[in-house]
Amino acid sequence: MSEKLKGAAVFGQSGGPTSVINASAYGVIKAALDAPEITKVYGMAHGIVGLLNDTLYDMGEEDPEELKLLLNTPSSALGSCRYKLKSDEDLAKILEMFKKYDIRYFFYNGGNDSMDTCSKISDYMSKVGYDCRVMGVPKTIDNDLVGTDHCPGFGSAAKYIATSIAEIHKDAYVYDTGAITIVEIMGRNAGWLTGSAALAELSDAPPDLIYLPELLFDMDAFLTDVEAVYKKKTKCLVAISEGAQFADGTFISQAKASATDGFGHAQLGGTATRLALEVNKKLGVRVRGIELSLLQRCAAHIASQTDIDEAFLAGKSAVEYALSGGTGKMVIFTRESENGKYKCGIDYEPLSICANKEKKIPREWITKEGTYVTRDFIDYVLPLIQGDNTRKQENGLPRFAKLKKVKV
Amino acid sequence: MSEKLKGAAVFGQSGGPTSVINASAYGVIKAALDAPEITKVYGMAHGIVGLLNDTLYDMGEEDPEELKLLLNTPSSALGSCRYKLKSDEDLAKILEMFKKYDIRYFFYNGGNDSMDTCSKISDYMSKVGYDCRVMGVPKTIDNDLVGTDHCPGFGSAAKYIATSIAEIHKDAYVYDTGAITIVEIMGRNAGWLTGSAALAELSDAPPDLIYLPELLFDMDAFLTDVEAVYKKKTKCLVAISEGAQFADGTFISQAKASATDGFGHAQLGGTATRLALEVNKKLGVRVRGIELSLLQRCAAHIASQTDIDEAFLAGKSAVEYALSGGTGKMVIFTRESENGKYKCGIDYEPLSICANKEKKIPREWITKEGTYVTRDFIDYVLPLIQGDNTRKQENGLPRFAKLKKVKV
């Protein structure tokens, strides 16, 4: 694990953006630029697609001050993709590019689909005997990666959601007339984000009901739950996962479930609208459906500083581990305690155990009734949303990184 | 204008909430509590409805530290309403309550409908010879009140919109595949909020096209505009007002335009979804509709400190003016300059000129093509979004005011 491997490094971002994926990018790029054995640092335009198309940026050409602003710039500065490696042909093309640019270090930042990409490249390079180090850097607001305590990107999304729910609660409860508000939250198969709505109770402004994709959704039970809260309060604030499903496996927003993304996943959305119609039909009361939509993954202005710091650390650690000889691993977070306070530890797990799997909320962290989360859930999320993004602003507006993106 | 009038004061909040309506509440309540000639300070539960129902809170019973947190608590802490005074019967009831509690000061915080309420009460009290002072405090994210340079609440909503558009831009432009994003923004008849999306250009992340309710909406022209941008960039980010109308006066989201609120206004929403369908049908590309919904009026975490300060000042000035003998006026803002920098001045206009009217964006602040705003528009909005809300937090989440709301 200690031999020095001289050559270029390449880095890419994949899958849905987060508020902090660029913080991991900065971690990788800075550590790679600082490493004497790394001769060049390339960025892939739109993830693996850029490598396949031979569209790389020379990260050494960037102004260091602009690179630093990546810490507070949401989405993927180098562009993202949802490309699934199709065959050995793709892998052969990647090997060709590795050879062309003398790439010996491959860093890929993404979710479980991206870890699959990473794993395939790692296996292929081993098979053909090309000496290189392949490392995965986790990323997903969904927090559903297996093998890590939590994922970079989740804390910021959870902070956005908890804060927004608290604010929406204040608004939704304001009138003297009856009102029901249904907020739709991202998370295809895991309810970590939707459950985070419960943290608004620390602002005394929680949702009344939470519906997670971990449990089957029953329309009658849902309408009964809402009616019971409404009868008591003349209001009801519901947080629902976009991924909530009926017993037959169909999503609530069936109408939109036919379109699929590049990985064959259904495109969700419209759950809140559908439920608003059902509730209005049953209770005859004013119902507002709200979809938090893209902002929950890109509202960097309210990113968690803890999340930013950890995302940076994940990127930096991937480079350090690779430099020390490590390969075929994903950086993971462990939950440590220091003087009784939360501390994030770093470790590494084989890519194969992280790829294509999903971690769900344990049943014991969901209440018996299935319509809220427990204190254990809240205690798990709370340390991850701490700290405000000390972002650079100009004119009262965010000052994002301006990269030159010099093509090689 | 200088006689001292001894008696109680009553304060209420009306209409749609804003991020800073409670800052005005704090301005009124604090100034009233501090005034020796004001014997009691009452808050109306749910605006004028609380006065009609004899449901008042004794604001003197509140903890001053909690009252101060109103500066950073969104929505209406005392509750709001959308009640239109029905007849002289309502006014007679209000007089009865004024007499019951020896109310000599009436402060009402709201938009143009609320100024109408205020104006009617002022006229009625004059007519019946009841000695009191009636003052309106402006409030509306829509910025459409006549007689004032701008409205408390607008700056914070504009800051939220400009920041969110900048962040959405980063997300919407991230993939290597084509994507069109349509963001629906509040504003029934005036496009101040939708136009504020243009401020995202200061973050180098502007919308490509902006559609305001000031101009008629033409579907064919819209589709042609979007297609032109898309052909050039394989992306297009559109900001559209919920109030955009066709030449025949129907809203884009006709389906929902049948429901009305208490003032007979159509309930809007669904514009982005409708347009997304049309664009998808024409261009066959992935289109995402996003409705900013409630958060644009209640996301206090990104309120403009300038707006908070001015909202407080508006409330405080209403009390000071009434104490000095003024009545029948709404507090207005004037735009002053101090050493070449923006400064907010205070003045007063008769309620009658502010009630039931709407101020729109001047045509010359909209581009010739009608699909963007000019630099003059941006320069008008920019000073109003300056400064970050220095809000109190606990556990990384907002700490809102906790009022006891002691009923009298």
Side-chain angles (χ1 to χ4, degrees):
Chain A
M1 292 277 285
S2 61
E3 48 165 334
K4 297 233 173 186
L5 178 63
K6 208 171 160 77
V10 70
F11 168 75
Q13 301 172 307
S14 178
T18 78
S19 285
V20 304
I21 188 169
N22 286 327
S24 288
Y26 183 58
V28 169
I29 293 165
K30 187 170 187 316
L33 286 171
D34 288 349
E37 55 267 61
I38 294 181
T39 51
K40 276 278 190 184
V41 181
Y42 299 117
M44 306 176 211
H46 298 291
I48 200 70
V49 169
L51 190 60
L52 290 167
N53 291 346
D54 198 356
T55 315
L56 301 182
Y57 305 125
D58 184 347
M59 302 315 296
E61 293 287 327
E62 301 294 340
D63 175 345
E65 286 306 308
E66 292 297 328
L67 280 178
K68 198 173 176 188
L69 288 175
L70 285 175
L71 286 171
N72 311 113
T73 302
S75 193
S76 307
L78 303 180
S80 189
C81 67
R82 286 194 179 278
Y83 185 82
K84 203 174 172 71
L85 290 182
K86 287 201 174 72
S87 59
D88 274 8
E89 206 178 306
D90 278 346
L91 290 162
K93 175 73 185 175
I94 290 169
L95 176 62
E96 185 192 324
M97 299 312 300
F98 272 30
K99 286 179 178 167
K100 176 173 177 182
Y101 294 103
D102 189 29
I103 290 167
R104 298 291 166 177
Y105 296 90
F106 179 88
F107 303 103
Y108 209 47
N109 192 188
N112 36 29
D113 294 319
S114 307
M115 292 310 127
D116 180 58
T117 298
C118 237
S119 183
K120 281 180 176 145
I121 292 172
S122 179
D123 291 349
Y124 184 82
M125 297 302 163
S126 284
K127 200 179 77 179
V128 299
Y130 183 86
D131 192 11
C132 66
R133 315 261 163 88
V134 176
M135 289 292 298
V137 182
K139 173 249 38 157
T140 171
I141 60 165
D142 291 343
N143 201 41
D144 60 354
L145 283 177
V146 167
T148 182
D149 177 75
H150 59 280
C151 303
F154 169 63
S156 294
K159 188 182 181 90
Y160 174 84
I161 288 164
T163 303
S164 297
I165 288 287
E167 291 169 339
I168 287 172
H169 178 110
K170 287 285 166 197
D171 194 300
Y173 268 76
V174 78
Y175 285 114
D176 53 332
T177 48
I180 292 171
T181 310
I182 299 173
V183 183
E184 176 178 341
I185 298 172
M186 282 182 170
R188 189 177 285 117
N189 293 313
W192 300 101
L193 289 175
T194 306
S196 298
L199 274 72
E201 70 178 52
L202 300 168
S203 292
D204 276 333
D208 295 298
L209 298 164
I210 296 177
Y211 295 90
L212 304 164
E214 278 79 1
L215 303 180
L216 291 177
F217 185 83
D218 181 281
M219 188 67 84
D220 291 334
F222 165 75
L223 291 170
T224 305
D225 294 343
V226 171
E227 188 172 24
V229 173
Y230 181 74
K231 279 196 171 159
K232 210 169 124 192
K233 303 186 173 184
T234 72
K235 306 284 184 297
C236 185
L237 176 57
V238 177
I240 176 120
S241 166
E242 63 171 359
Q245 291 179 41
F246 295 110
D248 67 0
T250 57
F251 292 106
I252 296 172
S253 59
Q254 269 181 291
K256 292 198 183 178
S258 55
T260 57
D261 70 11
F263 288 100
H265 304 139
Q267 288 297 328
L268 305 180
T271 302
T273 308
R274 165 85 192 276
L275 291 181
L277 288 171
E278 295 285 341
V279 172
N280 178 266
K281 204 162 68 181
K282 165 133 179 161
L283 302 180
V285 64
R286 185 186 166 134
V287 191
R288 191 189 283 265
I290 299 177
E291 201 180 332
L292 292 187
S293 195
L294 291 188
L295 281 163
Q296 59 201 301
R297 72 182 192 193
C298 67
H301 73 270
I302 193 169
S304 146
Q305 189 61 45
T306 299
D307 191 26
I308 294 172
D309 294 343
E310 292 179 359
F312 174 79
L313 185 64
K316 183 167 163 274
S317 300
V319 174
E320 288 169 355
Y321 189 76
L323 288 172
S324 76
T327 186
K329 300 277 176 72
M330 180 181 86
V331 176
I332 64 152
F333 291 152
T334 59
R335 187 170 293 240
E336 312 295 334
S337 176
E338 193 173 63
N339 305 322
K341 289 186 73 176
Y342 162 87
K343 187 171 175 270
C344 181
I346 292 286
D347 207 341
Y348 307 89
E349 285 282 356
L351 285 164
S352 54
I353 80 150
C354 308
N356 296 323
K357 295 188 194 79
E358 284 165 327
K359 185 175 73 177
K360 302 193 176 200
I361 302 179
R363 182 60 185 86
E364 62 269 24
W365 283 5
I366 305 171
T367 58
K368 189 162 57 66
E369 299 76 20
T371 54
Y372 211 77
V373 291
T374 65
R375 183 70 215 187
D376 282 342
F377 178 93
I378 291 173
D379 290 342
Y380 164 83
V381 180
L382 200 52
L384 314 181
I385 69 162
Q386 300 306 308
D388 291 339
N389 182 355
T390 49
R391 68 203 195 280
K392 184 173 179 181
Q393 292 192 81
E394 283 173 0
N395 296 304
L397 291 164
R399 168 62 164 85
F400 298 138
K402 293 176 188 171
L403 300 188
K404 286 183 272 184
K405 296 192 184 177
V406 177
K407 284 189 186 158
V408 292
Chain B
M1 290 279 286
S2 61
E3 47 165 334
K4 296 234 172 185
L5 178 63
K6 209 172 158 76
V10 70
F11 169 74
Q13 302 172 306
S14 178
T18 78
S19 285
V20 304
I21 187 170
N22 286 327
S24 289
Y26 183 57
V28 169
I29 293 165
K30 188 172 187 311
L33 286 171
D34 288 350
E37 55 268 62
I38 294 182
T39 51
K40 276 278 189 185
V41 182
Y42 300 117
M44 307 175 209
H46 297 292
I48 200 69
V49 169
L51 189 61
L52 291 167
N53 291 345
D54 198 357
T55 314
L56 300 182
Y57 306 124
D58 183 348
M59 302 315 297
E61 293 287 326
E62 301 293 343
D63 175 344
E65 286 306 308
E66 292 297 329
L67 281 179
K68 197 172 176 190
L69 289 175
L70 286 175
L71 287 170
N72 310 113
T73 302
S75 192
S76 307
L78 304 179
S80 188
C81 67
R82 286 195 179 279
Y83 186 81
K84 201 173 173 71
L85 290 181
K86 290 204 172 65
S87 60
D88 275 7
E89 206 178 305
D90 279 345
L91 291 162
K93 175 72 186 175
I94 290 168
L95 176 62
E96 187 192 323
M97 300 311 301
F98 273 30
K99 287 179 177 166
K100 176 173 176 182
Y101 293 104
D102 190 29
I103 290 166
R104 299 289 167 179
Y105 296 91
F106 179 88
F107 302 104
Y108 210 46
N109 192 189
N112 37 29
D113 294 319
S114 307
M115 292 310 127
D116 180 59
T117 298
C118 235
S119 183
K120 281 180 176 144
I121 292 173
S122 179
D123 291 350
Y124 184 81
M125 297 302 162
S126 285
K127 199 179 77 181
V128 299
Y130 182 86
D131 193 9
C132 67
R133 317 258 163 91
V134 175
M135 289 294 296
V137 182
K139 173 252 37 157
T140 172
I141 59 165
D142 291 343
N143 201 42
D144 59 355
L145 283 176
V146 166
T148 182
D149 177 75
H150 59 281
C151 303
F154 169 63
S156 294
K159 188 182 181 89
Y160 174 85
I161 289 163
T163 303
S164 297
I165 288 287
E167 291 169 340
I168 288 172
H169 178 109
K170 287 287 167 194
D171 195 300
Y173 268 76
V174 78
Y175 285 115
D176 52 332
T177 48
I180 292 171
T181 310
I182 300 172
V183 183
E184 176 178 341
I185 298 172
M186 282 182 170
R188 190 176 283 117
N189 293 314
W192 300 102
L193 289 175
T194 306
S196 298
L199 274 72
E201 71 178 52
L202 300 169
S203 291
D204 275 334
D208 296 298
L209 298 164
I210 296 177
Y211 295 89
L212 304 164
E214 278 79 0
L215 303 180
L216 291 177
F217 185 84
D218 182 281
M219 188 66 84
D220 291 334
F222 165 76
L223 291 170
T224 304
D225 293 343
V226 171
E227 187 172 23
V229 173
Y230 180 76
K231 278 195 170 159
K232 208 169 126 192
K233 302 185 173 186
T234 72
K235 306 281 184 299
C236 184
L237 176 57
V238 177
I240 176 119
S241 166
E242 62 170 2
Q245 290 178 44
F246 296 109
D248 67 1
T250 57
F251 291 106
I252 295 172
S253 59
Q254 267 182 291
K256 293 197 183 180
S258 55
T260 58
D261 70 11
F263 287 100
H265 304 138
Q267 289 296 328
L268 306 180
T271 301
T273 307
R274 166 85 193 276
L275 291 181
L277 288 171
E278 295 285 342
V279 172
N280 177 266
K281 205 162 68 181
K282 166 133 179 160
L283 301 180
V285 64
R286 185 185 168 137
V287 192
R288 191 188 283 267
I290 299 177
E291 203 180 329
L292 292 187
S293 194
L294 291 188
L295 281 163
Q296 60 202 300
R297 72 183 192 193
C298 67
H301 72 270
I302 193 168
S304 145
Q305 188 62 45
T306 298
D307 191 25
I308 294 172
D309 293 343
E310 292 180 359
F312 173 81
L313 186 64
K316 182 168 165 273
S317 300
V319 175
E320 288 170 353
Y321 189 75
L323 288 171
S324 76
T327 186
K329 301 277 176 74
M330 179 181 86
V331 177
I332 64 151
F333 292 151
T334 58
R335 186 169 294 239
E336 310 296 335
S337 177
E338 194 174 62
N339 305 323
K341 288 186 73 175
Y342 163 86
K343 189 172 174 268
C344 181
I346 292 286
D347 207 340
Y348 308 88
E349 284 283 356
L351 286 164
S352 53
I353 80 149
C354 309
N356 296 323
K357 295 188 195 79
E358 285 165 326
K359 186 176 72 177
K360 303 192 176 199
I361 303 180
R363 183 60 185 89
E364 62 268 27
W365 283 6
I366 305 171
T367 59
K368 189 162 55 68
E369 299 76 19
T371 53
Y372 211 77
V373 291
T374 65
R375 183 70 214 187
D376 282 341
F377 178 92
I378 291 174
D379 289 342
Y380 164 83
V381 180
L382 200 52
L384 314 180
I385 70 161
Q386 300 306 307
D388 290 340
N389 181 354
T390 50
R391 68 204 197 279
K392 184 172 179 182
Q393 292 193 81
E394 283 174 0
N395 295 305
L397 291 164
R399 169 64 164 85
F400 298 139
K402 294 175 187 173
L403 299 188
K404 286 183 272 186
K405 295 192 183 175
V406 177
K407 284 190 184 157
V408 292

